[in-house]
Amino acid sequence: MKADPEDQLRLLDLQAVDTVMAQRTYRRRTLPELAIIAESAARLATLSGDVVRAQTEIGDLSREQRRLELDVDQVRSRSERDQQRLESGSVGSPKELERLQHEVQSLARRQGDLEDQVLELMERREALDAALAAVNESVQRVTADRDDATARRDSAFAEIDAELSDREAERDGLTAALPADLLALYERLRAGSGGTGAAALRQRRCEGCRMELASTDLNRARNAPPDEVLRCEECGRILVRTPESGL
Ligand SMILES: [Zn+2]
């Protein structure tokens, strides 16, 4: 392939722009903030499940506590009725008196049991409240971390996108000036060679693969007409001769 030496040099400018664009695109995709945001989202999903579970358990305990307190009220009023009957002197039968006294005792035991259960529930409720408060604190902390990371990501994106847009304009200017066949070869090689399609020959080395050219290849490069498009024998990339080529 033949191409004006000026166009060959322009290819190196294009390569420099493409390399920067590839670096910025890579940076955009691998910003550490993206991992923080994803981890925060996963953590918040888990925490929100924890909140729902704790709230459900607290609701169940509250209902259970109300039920027990109603039972306590019933036992207490029954016992008061029995006490009033005992103290009124209206119960004549000794058997009935004994039954009532027995019932008052057993109601007192029952009330004690129920009150113990209420106390136990209240302790569990306190522990659950504390656990829920801790989960809510974690939610706030993780949300703040996520929001910070999101702000940093957005500002990094804005900076990268502005630079990419500048470089894109620069690239358009360069490609518009290049012959189509040279550009097509460059693009094909760039796609197949890790993003580098053209490299300078500098100090007898191909800057694409860093290999020093064999003397026969150097001779060929030296003797080739300036508009001959050279390719590196090692890596196949377009090899552009420059004043620093060492030929
Ligand atoms: Zn090479």
Side-chain angles (χ1 to χ4, degrees):
M1 185 184 288
K2 301 275 183 188
D4 190 304
E6 289 297 315
D7 285 339
Q8 294 189 39
L9 285 171
R10 198 168 283 127
L11 215 47
L12 292 181
D13 295 338
L14 178 60
Q15 179 64 68
V17 170
D18 280 341
T19 299
V20 169
M21 286 179 78
Q23 285 165 351
R24 297 302 180 271
T25 304
Y26 176 79
R27 177 157 175 262
R28 196 186 196 286
R29 204 171 55 239
T30 57
L31 278 178
E33 283 75 16
L34 297 178
I36 297 175
I37 292 167
E39 281 160 22
S40 302
R43 181 98 182 89
L44 284 172
T46 305
L47 286 170
S48 119
D50 292 348
V51 167
V52 170
R53 264 192 302 281
Q55 282 172 340
T56 306
E57 211 170 327
I58 287 172
D60 291 348
L61 277 189
S62 298
R63 268 189 302 282
E64 176 73 3
Q65 188 178 339
R66 276 194 301 279
R67 195 181 61 73
L68 283 173
E69 283 165 349
L70 280 178
D71 286 354
V72 170
D73 286 346
Q74 278 175 357
V75 169
R76 192 185 289 129
S77 51
R78 174 108 184 243
S79 175
E80 279 166 7
R81 266 200 322 275
D82 287 353
Q83 291 278 8
Q84 280 163 10
R85 285 189 67 200
L86 280 172
E87 286 158 12
S88 68
S90 64
V91 182
S93 143
K95 225 179 179 152
E96 178 62 5
L97 274 174
E98 198 185 329
R99 194 194 64 78
L100 273 177
Q101 276 160 353
H102 189 75
E103 186 171 272
V104 167
Q105 280 168 8
S106 108
L107 285 171
R109 275 199 303 279
R110 172 87 181 122
Q111 186 177 338
D113 285 350
L114 288 170
E115 282 168 351
D116 285 349
Q117 287 179 45
V118 171
L119 275 179
E120 194 194 318
L121 276 189
M122 285 165 77
E123 276 168 18
R124 279 170 60 195
R125 168 74 195 259
E126 263 177 43
L128 273 178
D129 282 345
L132 179 59
V135 173
N136 279 326
E137 231 171 77
S138 297
V139 168
Q140 283 181 0
R141 201 181 53 246
V142 176
T143 303
D145 288 351
R146 184 203 56 192
D147 292 350
D148 284 352
T150 304
R152 289 200 304 276
R153 177 203 64 187
D154 290 349
S155 113
F157 273 3
E159 196 182 310
I160 293 169
D161 291 349
E163 176 167 14
L164 281 176
S165 152
D166 287 352
R167 298 289 181 168
E168 191 69 53
E170 199 180 338
R171 186 179 208 282
D172 287 347
L174 286 166
T175 54
L178 284 170
D181 58 349
L182 183 64
L183 182 59
L185 175 63
Y186 165 77
E187 295 289 21
R188 184 168 64 75
L189 291 173
R190 186 165 75 95
S193 307
T196 307
L201 175 61
R202 197 185 303 274
Q203 309 297 344
R204 288 180 240 146
R205 262 174 216 284
C206 163
E207 295 241 292
C209 63
R210 308 277 166 195
M211 296 293 286
E212 188 164 331
L213 267 65
S215 54
T216 49
D217 297 333
L218 274 175
N219 276 334
R220 199 180 308 133
R222 195 173 290 129
N223 297 327
D227 65 348
E228 178 79 32
V229 175
L230 301 179
R231 302 276 295 276
C232 172
E233 290 298 321
E234 286 297 328
C235 66
R237 295 181 173 102
I238 298 168
L239 200 54
V240 180
R241 283 162 286 179
T242 74
E244 291 92 45
S245 288
L247 292 174

